[in-house]
Amino acid sequence: MLRHWHVSFLSFCFFFLFLFLFLWTPYDEISATRTFSVDLINKTCKTCSDKSTVFNYTFCSASLQEIPVSRTTNLQGLAIVAMELALQNATHTLSVIKELRRNETWGHPFASACLRDCDVLYSDGVITLVDAVAAFLEGKYGSAGAWLTAVMDGTTTCEEGFGDMEEASPLTEQNYSVFQLCDVALCIVNLLVSHA
């Protein structure tokens, strides 16, 4: 319980740190960059999509544009938005997993074992995403990228576990969303490294 509260508190702090940095930007500068930032989202998602066969341009663009602050920020800001979205989705997925595990009538014993594994993977993944955000804010892009990759691997392992047991996964949509959001953040981090 303490560990979960600690993660929620850190997530809250990171989100408001980002909002503070955004609100600190003069209004005239925000207005001047509004169109540029929407273009930046589309250009960034297109660049990332061109680099990977698993990257979903539509998912990237829709996810980032859904958050108003992402339309008025720079590339670093987009990375933080993507990581915050990944953290929110991973935290929600962990709640879904725990609810499914509490429902003793759900699924086959093999599926219960898969859920147990996913519980561990997502518990670690939430902590890892907090570490990724912290590393990014400290300018440690290599570490942030490594943490994001680890979370992506966790979502894949969770999903494949059900397939290995020939069970239908109840988490396909959640695993896909967290994977894609981490991929968005990872691609942006890599773009920042390449332009450094």
Side-chain angles (χ1 to χ4, degrees):
M1 176 67 77
L2 181 59
R3 187 180 189 192
H4 177 71
W5 178 87
H6 181 65
V7 172
S8 299
F9 178 72
L10 285 176
S11 175
F12 177 82
C13 289
F14 286 136
F15 178 73
F16 278 95
L17 172 63
F18 179 61
L19 283 181
F20 171 77
L21 293 173
F22 167 70
L23 292 173
W24 197 32
T25 305
Y27 178 77
D28 290 343
E29 185 177 330
I30 290 172
S31 298
T33 62
R34 185 174 301 277
T35 302
F36 170 76
S37 293
V38 172
D39 290 342
L40 178 64
I41 291 171
N42 293 329
K43 181 179 177 183
T44 301
C45 292
K46 179 69 167 64
T47 299
C48 293
S49 179
D50 289 345
K51 291 176 178 287
S52 169
T53 57
V54 298
F55 191 95
N56 186 325
Y57 167 84
T58 304
F59 183 95
C60 172
S61 180
S63 297
L64 293 178
Q65 290 192 42
E66 188 175 313
I67 308 302
V69 72
S70 68
R71 299 181 214 141
T72 55
T73 190
N74 56 16
L75 204 54
Q76 288 87 347
L78 289 182
I80 294 172
V81 168
M83 283 187 274
E84 281 292 333
L85 285 171
L87 180 57
Q88 289 173 14
N89 275 259
T91 303
H92 173 71
T93 301
L94 185 57
S95 298
V96 170
I97 292 167
K98 292 188 180 303
E99 184 60 33
L100 287 170
R101 291 192 68 196
R102 279 193 289 269
N103 183 357
E104 296 178 3
T105 63
W106 186 88
H108 190 275
F110 287 142
S112 296
C114 293
L115 282 173
R116 185 174 59 248
D117 292 342
C118 290
D119 194 335
V120 173
L121 289 165
Y122 270 93
S123 294
D124 291 343
V126 168
I127 300 292
T128 302
L129 281 168
V130 171
D131 290 340
V133 175
F136 184 84
L137 290 174
E138 292 172 9
K140 298 175 181 177
Y141 293 168
S143 296
W147 293 132
L148 289 166
T149 301
V151 176
M152 292 168 71
D153 290 344
T155 65
T156 301
T157 301
C158 172
E159 188 65 22
E160 289 177 348
F162 290 95
D164 292 343
M165 295 291 186
E166 298 184 353
E167 292 285 339
S169 171
L171 301 170
T172 298
E173 183 179 340
Q174 291 90 343
N175 284 328
Y176 181 80
S177 294
V178 175
F179 181 96
Q180 285 292 330
L181 288 166
C182 287
D183 204 12
V184 172
L186 178 61
C187 181
I188 296 173
V189 168
N190 289 336
L191 288 175
L192 288 167
V193 170
S194 67
H195 289 98

